Amino acid sequence: MSSAFPSIWVVGEVQRARASQRGHFYFELIEKDSADGIVAKIDAVIWRGDFARIRRSMSAVDQSITEGLEIRCRVQVDFWPPGGRLQVVVREVDPVFTLGLLEQRRRQTLAALETAGLLDRNRRQALPELPLRLGLVTSHGSAAFHDFLSTLQESGYGFRLVFVHASVQGRSAEGEIASALKALASLQRPVEAAVLIRGGGSRSDLAVFDSRKVAEAVARTPFPVLTGLGHEIDTSIADRVAHTSLKTPTKVAEFLVERLATAEAEAHEYHRRLVREAREPLRRATEAVNRCESALKVAEARLTAASARLRETARLLALVSEARLRRAREQCDHLSRNLAHEGPRFLESRRRKPQETQRQIAALARGRLAHAHATLDGLARLCEQLSPAKTLARGFSITRDPTGKALRQAQQVASGSRITTELGQGTIQSRVEESI
């Protein structure tokens, strides 16, 4: 067989990989169809001498031969008569082929996730300020598991973990990681965030975190997913779709611890500010209370003095009132006696008073009437002396215009006007020839 097929290049997926104690590496090389079903497989072996060389060439591009990895290798077909088994002996592995295939699949997966709107879906979840209830997905007992837990425990914070075991490498890793995230999402009391971690490894060791199934599971998780996948250079697709990605499991734990430490520091700062801002009003209130107490003492002293003055005033008022009441009673008694003695005489004088007043009014009226008669007589004589008839009798006359108005100036009548002149006895009518 080896002479018939001394050296050919084949492509297949690595499955059931195992290393022997002698340093040989055994695995199955399989071919799958579009439905991921196995259509062909053959046993393969890399002898110890070739395995060391191949491992170095793969490590140069950050890869290793792991289960699920599709490789292109140069093989020699061999038949082992004792076991009746046909196998291929791998002489060389093309690391460039594997690297290009992984990158192609990575780009296809990223494009599919972007089309489905899943690239930033988990990042839009709000990470709590105090993420204490966490879901942990990793391999139980691994270095990543212990590093993560020890960092959380050393912090002293009360983290509560819900751990779900999942293989992080190999054939079953893809399904177990997706199932673990779904299990966390179905909890009756949900976690606040999930942590997906594993230790360091080659790029091919971390190939499971570039799978679409794992990426979709991370993106669809209904709470933030934090990843720490142990690589320092490359970023896996799971990192790309996660809420927060960090380099190592320890970094994830430190991130969570620091988040709580920051919240604790802020709480302490708020407490300090609250105490400071509360003490100042308390100090002012204390000073105000002290001032009020001092004022209250002064008011109490004043009230005591006022009470004493009030009692003294009440005592003096009682004495003065008693004396005044006594004098008032004496005055009342004196007035009663005077009223009883002088009352009859007063009433008698009052009865005579109207008659006396009547005589006085009559006498006064007679005197005033006499004075009025005398005044009227004098006025009558004066009117008689000043009457117009007396004036006319003494030779004076009154001239009137046609309207009967007395004339005082010649200019009051025009030439040709008729005028009337009144004399002591009779009247004369004439016509004005000229006014001078």
Side-chain angles (χ1 to χ4, degrees):
M1 295 293 292
S2 60
S3 60
F5 301 98
S7 178
I8 59 174
W9 287 89
V10 296
V11 175
E13 182 178 312
V14 176
Q15 293 292 345
R16 301 176 63 84
R18 67 190 186 280
S20 69
Q21 294 180 351
R22 295 183 178 183
H24 308 308
F25 188 76
Y26 297 93
F27 60 95
E28 289 181 353
L29 198 62
I30 66 173
E31 181 182 352
K32 291 183 178 180
D33 58 16
S34 58
D36 206 32
I38 298 175
V39 296
K41 70 176 180 177
I42 190 171
D43 291 333
V45 62
I46 304 176
W47 302 125
R48 180 176 58 188
D50 293 331
F51 184 57
R53 175 177 51 81
I54 292 172
R55 188 164 52 185
R56 286 194 300 271
S57 66
M58 295 290 286
S59 297
V61 291
D62 194 25
Q63 294 187 64
S64 62
I65 301 176
T66 57
E67 290 195 16
L69 183 67
E70 189 168 358
I71 62 174
R72 179 174 179 266
C73 53
R74 185 173 62 84
V75 303
Q76 178 183 354
V77 180
D78 184 37
F79 179 73
W80 187 49
R85 185 177 65 200
L86 185 68
Q87 64 180 9
V88 293
V89 178
V90 178
R91 299 298 183 182
E92 185 178 352
V93 176
D94 183 5
V96 177
F97 171 83
T98 304
L99 188 63
L101 186 62
L102 291 174
E103 185 61 30
Q104 181 182 2
R105 289 180 179 177
R106 175 185 172 88
R107 291 180 181 180
Q108 291 173 350
T109 301
L110 286 173
L113 292 171
E114 184 174 8
T115 302
L118 297 176
L119 278 182
D120 298 322
R121 177 170 177 171
N122 191 261
R123 193 171 290 110
R124 290 193 293 268
Q125 302 281 348
L127 182 63
E129 292 294 330
L130 301 175
L132 290 171
R133 182 172 171 80
L134 305 173
L136 177 60
V137 177
T138 190
S139 177
H140 183 269
S142 63
F145 176 84
H146 290 294
D147 291 345
F148 182 79
L149 288 185
S150 62
T151 304
L152 294 188
Q153 291 171 351
E154 291 171 1
S155 70
Y157 293 116
F159 289 101
R160 297 183 298 277
L161 291 180
V162 178
F163 173 68
V164 181
H165 168 77
S167 298
V168 291
Q169 184 175 343
R171 296 180 58 186
S172 62
E174 184 177 345
E176 289 185 10
I177 292 173
S179 298
L181 291 173
K182 291 180 181 178
L184 289 176
S186 64
L187 292 174
Q188 186 175 3
R189 183 185 178 190
V191 297
E192 296 170 328
V195 177
L196 175 61
I197 57 175
R198 69 148 287 163
S202 65
R203 185 170 181 179
S204 54
D205 291 335
L206 300 170
V208 65
F209 298 103
D210 282 331
S211 72
R212 182 172 178 177
K213 186 173 184 179
V214 171
E216 288 184 348
V218 171
R220 297 182 187 279
T221 301
F223 38 77
V225 177
L226 286 68
T227 58
L229 302 179
H231 49 76
E232 296 290 342
I233 300 175
D234 296 325
T235 300
S236 67
I237 297 179
D239 290 324
R240 177 63 181 82
V241 299
H243 182 280
T244 302
S245 65
L246 297 116
K247 295 299 182 182
T248 64
T250 302
K251 292 293 184 181
V252 177
E254 290 174 350
F255 170 79
L256 294 170
V257 171
E258 183 178 355
R259 191 174 184 86
L260 265 67
T262 300
E264 183 181 21
E266 290 178 354
H268 285 313
E269 178 63 18
Y270 291 145
H271 177 267
R272 187 183 64 81
R273 291 181 182 178
L274 182 62
V275 170
R276 182 185 63 192
E277 294 178 3
R279 281 178 177 172
E280 181 60 22
L282 183 60
R283 183 188 62 80
R284 292 196 298 267
T286 302
E287 292 178 355
V289 169
N290 292 335
R291 289 195 298 270
C292 290
E293 288 180 350
S294 300
L296 186 61
K297 290 179 181 178
V298 172
E300 186 178 1
R302 290 181 178 177
L303 183 61
T304 301
S307 299
R309 289 196 300 272
L310 184 61
R311 288 192 297 270
E312 180 63 18
T313 302
R315 187 183 66 81
L316 295 176
L317 182 61
L319 294 175
V320 172
S321 299
E322 185 178 356
R324 289 188 176 183
L325 285 173
R326 186 173 60 255
R327 286 197 299 273
R329 283 195 295 270
E330 292 175 354
Q331 290 176 357
C332 286
D333 293 342
H334 178 69
L335 290 175
S336 296
R337 289 193 299 271
N338 290 340
L339 183 61
H341 183 265
E342 298 292 336
R345 289 195 304 172
F346 180 78
L347 290 175
E348 181 62 26
S349 66
R350 288 297 178 183
R351 280 196 297 271
R352 292 196 300 269
K353 188 67 175 178
Q355 298 174 358
E356 181 66 24
T357 302
Q358 183 178 4
R359 287 194 297 273
Q360 291 176 355
I361 292 173
L364 181 61
R366 284 193 295 273
R368 290 188 176 183
L369 286 173
H371 178 72
H373 284 304
T375 301
L376 287 174
D377 291 340
L379 292 173
R381 287 192 297 273
L382 180 60
C383 289
E384 185 179 357
Q385 292 295 326
L386 297 177
S387 68
K390 289 286 186 180
T391 301
L392 293 175
R394 288 197 298 272
F396 293 94
S397 64
I398 301 173
T399 302
R400 303 178 186 275
D401 63 7
T403 63
K405 184 179 180 179
L407 299 176
R408 291 181 173 80
Q409 296 179 0
Q411 290 80 7
Q412 289 184 263
V413 294
S415 297
S417 299
R418 294 182 65 84
I419 58 175
T420 302
T421 304
E422 183 179 356
L423 303 175
Q425 292 183 354
T427 58
I428 299 174
Q429 288 188 352
S430 57
R431 185 181 303 275
V432 178
E433 293 184 356
E434 185 180 0
S435 297
I436 304 173

